[in-house]
């Protein structure tokens, strides 16, 4: 149950990116107050950092979150009229994709910072 709340929360943070086309500089207060939301906060912060580190990767992952958001909107709109099993499958797929994109964001930040550290070693 906590996991699905995490993904819904993560989607709620990504949605402003799709609407505004930019990254906000502060983490929403709802994230700061709940310990189980640390993963959502970390994903949000890493995505924000990625914009400054590698804008092309940021745009790629932002587009992936946009696609997830569109699917989530379809799910949310149709959840009352579809059977429970179909809704559960769709929700599981959305949750899985959020986890994958967050992992990609973490990897991109790590790779970028690692290459910067290697460049410093060669000075």
């Amino acid at each position: 149950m906590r996991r699905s709340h995490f993904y819904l929360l993560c989607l709620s943070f990504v949605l402003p990116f799709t609407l505004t086309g930019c990254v906000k500089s502060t983490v929403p207060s709802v994230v700061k107050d709940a310990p189980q939301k640390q993963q959502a906060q970390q994903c949000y912060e890493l995505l924000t950092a990625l914009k400054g580190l590698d804008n092309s990767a940021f745009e790629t992952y932002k587009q992936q979150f946009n696609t997830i958001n569109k699917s989530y909107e379809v799910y949310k709109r149709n959840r009352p009229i579809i059977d429970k099993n179909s809704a559960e499958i769709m929700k599981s797929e959305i949750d899985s994709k959020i986890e994958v994109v967050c992992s990609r964001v973490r990897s991109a930040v790590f790779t970028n910072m690692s290459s910067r550290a290697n460049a410093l070693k060669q000075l």
Side-chain angles (χ1 to χ4, degrees):
M1 186 70 169
R2 285 185 182 178
R3 194 170 184 177
S4 62
H5 290 296
F6 160 70
Y7 294 120
L8 288 175
L9 183 64
C10 193
L11 279 174
S12 71
F13 294 134
V14 174
L15 186 59
F17 297 137
T18 63
L19 297 177
T20 64
C22 62
V23 177
K24 296 181 181 182
S25 60
T26 59
V27 176
S29 59
V30 71
V31 171
K32 295 177 187 175
D33 298 335
Q36 71 267 23
K37 297 175 184 166
Q38 288 176 350
Q39 290 176 324
Q41 181 178 353
Q42 183 183 26
C43 186
Y44 177 84
E45 289 172 352
L46 289 173
L47 187 63
T48 303
L50 192 58
K51 183 172 174 105
L53 296 172
D54 185 353
N55 196 46
S56 65
F58 169 80
E59 290 298 326
T60 299
Y61 300 127
K62 185 178 100 173
Q63 182 58 42
Q64 291 177 5
F65 277 121
N66 288 344
T67 302
I68 294 169
N69 281 336
K70 289 175 188 173
S71 295
Y72 179 72
E73 287 301 317
V74 169
Y75 161 75
K76 193 166 80 172
R77 195 173 40 248
N78 293 304
R79 184 177 51 189
I81 59 175
I82 59 177
D83 68 81
K84 185 178 177 178
N85 291 332
S86 297
E88 187 176 323
I89 289 170
M90 183 66 174
K91 181 67 175 92
S92 294
E93 192 64 31
I94 290 169
D95 292 347
S96 173
K97 292 303 175 183
I98 290 171
E99 191 173 319
V100 167
V101 175
C102 283
S103 293
R104 290 174 181 163
V105 168
R106 278 191 301 275
S107 176
V109 169
F110 176 79
T111 301
N112 187 283
M113 295 306 286
S114 179
S115 67
R116 289 172 188 260
N118 286 335
L120 285 174
K121 286 180 187 178
Q122 296 183 7
L123 287 178

